[in-house]
Amino acid sequence: MFPLYDENPTRITPYFTYGLIGMNVLVFLHEVSLSNAQLNLFLREYAVVPRELTYNFSGEWITLITSQFLHGGWWHLISNMVFLWVFGNNIEDRLGHFKYLVFYLACGALAALCQWVIGIESPIPSLGASGAISGVLGAYLIRFPHARITTLIFLGFFVTTISVPALVVIGIFFVQNVISGLASLQAAANMSVQTGGVAYWAHIGGFVFGIILAPLFGLFKRDYE
């Protein structure tokens, strides 16, 4: 299931959601302009390298933020940005622009730490906006569980769209990650861009922290009309 759009109007223009999407796209365009050697150095510098974070946290903590704007390929980027486009605007609407940005980055950083715990000695860079976006999904689930999401589904060679509650789309996302994470702990610990590994525990951690933090940031309050 792949979300296309939701039937959930907002009261504001989600400038920060647009800005985050734009920043991710710009950084990725920079990535693809680099040679393989330059890209490896770039990822080593700005992605989370668990081993380096373990032994030099004071010098590497900033990668918990910078890694959120890096992606390992076009599909990695596009899928993340579509999820952010569909679900981010409503959370920005409820939290307000600046609290939304802090919430987003905090979920991403905490998600990266969850993945780090799985493999603290790993030399493989960990990167992507998935952890932060998972936090947005967690917030959306508890605030708008019944919002209708128009979703693209693939049934073999047959492709169609259906409208389902957010609870279904996001619930399936979370359950898939829990099952995959539990079934492949070793693979999650050694995920890599080159092998197409998925940071399941960053997704799970970001989702859980999104549920915990969003109410503290005012998800259920109307700060303005």
Side-chain angles (χ1 to χ4, degrees):
M1 301 182 72
F2 193 76
L4 298 176
Y5 58 89
D6 64 350
E7 300 171 16
N8 194 3
T10 61
R11 303 165 295 170
I12 64 169
T13 301
Y15 295 115
F16 278 34
T17 296
Y18 297 160
L20 288 167
I21 292 171
M23 181 72 73
N24 277 278
V25 171
L26 287 175
V27 171
F28 185 72
L29 291 177
H30 174 68
E31 287 181 49
V32 299
S33 73
L34 301 175
S35 67
N36 287 337
Q38 290 173 326
L39 179 59
N40 286 334
L41 289 174
F42 184 74
L43 296 182
R44 289 281 171 185
E45 181 71 22
Y46 295 107
V48 175
V49 180
R51 179 187 293 171
E52 295 183 13
L53 188 66
T54 299
Y55 295 107
N56 184 25
F57 188 87
S58 63
E60 294 290 327
W61 68 267
I62 192 63
T63 61
L64 297 173
I65 303 299
T66 58
S67 62
Q68 299 177 40
F69 296 92
L70 305 176
H71 288 84
W74 283 105
W75 179 246
H76 190 200
L77 173 72
I78 292 170
S79 59
N80 274 345
M81 294 306 100
V82 169
F83 271 81
L84 183 55
W85 173 271
V86 172
F87 298 105
N89 59 342
N90 291 104
I91 303 306
E92 182 174 353
D93 178 59
R94 291 297 167 175
L95 298 185
H97 301 298
F98 291 99
K99 286 197 293 183
Y100 167 73
L101 179 62
V102 174
F103 167 78
Y104 177 94
L105 295 175
C107 287
L110 291 167
L113 286 174
C114 290
Q115 186 65 37
W116 165 74
V117 168
I118 298 299
I120 62 175
E121 294 287 346
S122 174
I124 304 299
S126 177
L127 52 91
S130 304
I133 295 169
S134 294
V136 171
L137 295 180
Y140 197 103
L141 178 66
I142 61 174
R143 185 62 182 84
F144 306 107
H146 304 297
R148 306 296 294 186
I149 312 296
T150 296
T151 306
L152 192 67
I153 62 170
F154 301 87
L155 303 172
F157 294 104
F158 181 69
V159 180
T160 188
T161 60
I162 59 173
S163 178
V164 295
L167 180 64
V168 173
V169 177
I170 299 174
I172 289 174
F173 164 85
F174 182 70
V175 170
Q176 285 178 333
N177 275 277
V178 169
I179 292 172
S180 298
L182 292 175
S184 57
L185 279 172
Q186 187 61 36
N190 295 299
M191 55 82 69
S192 70
V193 176
Q194 291 79 7
T195 59
V198 178
Y200 296 114
W201 293 98
H203 297 175
I204 295 167
F207 187 87
V208 172
F209 278 113
I211 290 174
I212 294 171
L213 293 179
L216 302 179
F217 276 78
L219 183 66
F220 294 96
K221 296 179 181 178
R222 285 182 178 269
D223 294 332
Y224 54 88
E225 296 297 335

